[in-house]
Amino acid sequence: MTQTGLHHSGAADPEELGGPRRGLLLLMAVATGLSAAGNYIAQPLLDLISHDLRLGSVLAGLVVTASQAGYALGLLLLVPLGDVIDRRRLAVTLFLATAGFLGVSALAPSGPVLLAGTVLAALTSVGAQVVVAHAAALATAATRGRAVATVMSGVLLGGLLARTAAGGLSELGGWRTAYWVLAALMTGAAVVLHRRLPYLAVTADLRYPALLRSTLSLLREESVLRRRALLGALSFASYSVQLTALTFLLAGAPFHWSAPAIGGFGLVGAVGILSMTLAARLSDSGHVQLVTGGATALLLTGWLILLAGERSLVWLAVGVVALNIGQQAVLNSSQTILFALNAEARNRINSAFATSLFLGGALGSALASVVWAAAGWPGTCALGAALATGAVAVWAWDHTRPST
């Protein structure tokens, strides 16, 4: 595997620098968090949007679906470009485009315009994944796990905090305020990234159709990528079951929580994100398979704890924390392995992995709704545990295979 060198302002190779400085990583984390936030700010605002634009419940619900669809398309169609275009320029362009499309949503006079702005903003929000791959390329082999964990923590925290921030901003000036504020912050982030991100040489020379075909080819050729993609899909499906069913549980007896309170409870998951650094240090120390195995086991254990949380807020919180720690550790350890596979194809590898992760999450959410209606919380816990068991089995299979 070759390591791409730095070619900006006389900068040295990452191996000589010891990886990117912490200040730069934190900047990248904040930027990716802002980019991810745009995909979640609509969720607590749906009722306000529905009344203001006179939308039916079905059309209002499509705003969330539109965001998911746009993000999936971006993962497939835009993230691979990071291997053939200067990542700094690509990231800055995508951040500016996201800011512009958030502005379209803020100005939307009708549902169709809002949906169009939402799809396009989600499509370009994958600039966050381009920045993650850039962090991996800047890092050395000994620091890659921690570098990726730091930047990915921004993505995950952005998603968690966006709901709370959007609700607060809507109290100040209506639902459009959240969109305007985020658009302004995204513009600022683009300017700062343009000034601070080091330039890295382009790693591949492919035309766009060939680039997309090569992404699929990597799935066929790289057995490690296939196994990690399946593991990621199963673990995120299990995790997403909790995200969906938790809302139903807390809204009903015996809790009867309001929507803002339910959103606030989700912040408990931030503990899992903060644990990513420990998992990353263990991965960087050569224990990446152990981290993944422990993480999948923790996912399964979390569901056993959640079963006791049907009427206990304490057990519910403990179970949610366990699932968050497990999921983030699976994600970080998998990316640590995958970003080391092929330096010339990091964005395409990340595209394939992230798309698998997203599809698994969508499947988990869909199954959770069906199982909740048929079997309630016990059935939902059984579903989550079954998916987690699948993740444990894939890890055990992967653990017996060659690492390259």
Side-chain angles (χ1 to χ4, degrees):
M1 182 186 73
T2 61
Q3 176 68 47
T4 306
L6 288 170
H7 302 280
H8 180 62
S9 302
D13 186 273
E15 294 291 345
E16 298 175 14
L17 291 172
R21 297 183 185 279
R22 183 160 182 80
L24 176 60
L25 288 175
L26 292 176
L27 167 64
M28 296 165 81
V30 171
T32 57
L34 291 172
S35 187
N39 295 324
Y40 297 94
I41 59 172
Q43 292 183 6
L45 307 176
L46 289 180
D47 188 57
L48 295 174
I49 292 172
S50 179
H51 281 90
D52 185 40
L53 300 183
R54 298 179 182 177
L55 307 179
S57 58
V58 174
L59 189 56
L62 284 177
V63 174
V64 175
T65 304
S67 181
Q68 294 173 333
Y71 189 73
L73 285 174
L75 289 172
L76 287 170
L77 303 179
L78 297 181
V79 171
L81 287 171
D83 289 333
V84 296
I85 297 175
D86 170 20
R87 284 196 202 101
R88 180 182 59 178
R89 184 175 65 181
L90 177 60
V92 169
T93 300
L94 291 175
F95 271 61
L96 289 174
T98 302
F101 294 134
L102 287 168
V104 170
S105 296
L107 291 169
S110 63
V113 175
L114 177 63
L115 287 174
T118 299
V119 169
L120 293 171
L123 180 78
T124 55
S125 72
V126 296
Q129 293 296 331
V130 174
V131 174
V132 171
H134 200 67
L138 287 169
T140 64
T143 62
R144 185 166 294 121
R146 279 166 284 176
V148 171
T150 300
V151 180
M152 276 300 299
S153 67
V155 175
L156 301 166
L157 280 171
L160 278 176
L161 298 177
R163 300 174 180 89
T164 303
L169 288 170
S170 68
E171 292 290 325
L172 296 176
W175 67 269
R176 298 177 193 270
T177 303
Y179 284 89
W180 283 124
V181 170
L182 184 56
L185 291 173
M186 285 292 291
T187 302
V191 172
V192 176
L193 288 177
H194 177 70
R195 293 178 176 175
R196 294 289 308 277
L197 275 189
Y199 169 79
L200 288 176
V202 172
T203 57
D205 183 16
L206 294 170
R207 293 186 179 276
Y208 186 64
L211 183 72
L212 296 184
R213 287 195 300 270
S214 71
T215 302
L216 297 176
S217 297
L218 284 166
L219 272 171
R220 292 194 301 268
E221 297 165 2
E222 295 282 2
S223 59
V224 174
L225 175 57
R226 289 197 303 274
R227 294 194 295 270
R228 284 286 162 169
L230 177 58
L231 174 60
L234 286 168
S235 66
F236 198 53
S238 177
Y239 177 73
S240 296
V241 168
Q242 170 256 147
L243 290 178
T244 300
L246 193 63
T247 300
F248 299 141
L249 178 68
L250 292 175
F255 303 106
H256 299 293
W257 281 20
S258 65
I262 294 172
F265 186 79
L267 294 177
V268 171
V271 175
I273 297 171
L274 297 176
S275 71
M276 285 182 71
T277 301
L278 174 60
R281 288 184 180 277
L282 288 171
S283 295
D284 286 339
S285 300
H287 304 294
V288 66
Q289 286 286 3
L290 178 64
V291 170
T292 306
T296 54
L298 189 58
L299 277 173
L300 180 56
T301 303
W303 278 110
L304 300 179
I305 296 171
L306 282 173
L307 184 61
E310 187 173 14
R311 295 187 175 278
S312 169
L313 200 58
V314 172
W315 286 117
L316 201 61
V318 173
V320 168
V321 169
L323 256 66
N324 272 273
I325 294 175
Q327 171 56 29
Q328 308 321 327
V330 168
L331 176 61
N332 179 257
S333 58
S334 295
Q335 287 185 310
T336 299
I337 288 174
L338 294 176
F339 281 135
L341 283 180
N342 186 339
E344 287 75 26
R346 282 196 177 107
N347 287 272
R348 282 166 284 166
I349 289 171
N350 195 34
S351 171
F353 176 70
T355 300
S356 300
L357 202 77
F358 176 87
L359 292 175
L363 175 64
S365 295
L367 289 175
S369 298
V370 174
V371 172
W372 173 268
W377 185 248
T380 301
C381 289
L383 170 64
L387 291 167
T389 300
V392 172
V394 173
W395 167 77
W397 173 45
D398 184 51
H399 189 49
T400 64
R401 308 294 297 179
S403 59
T404 57

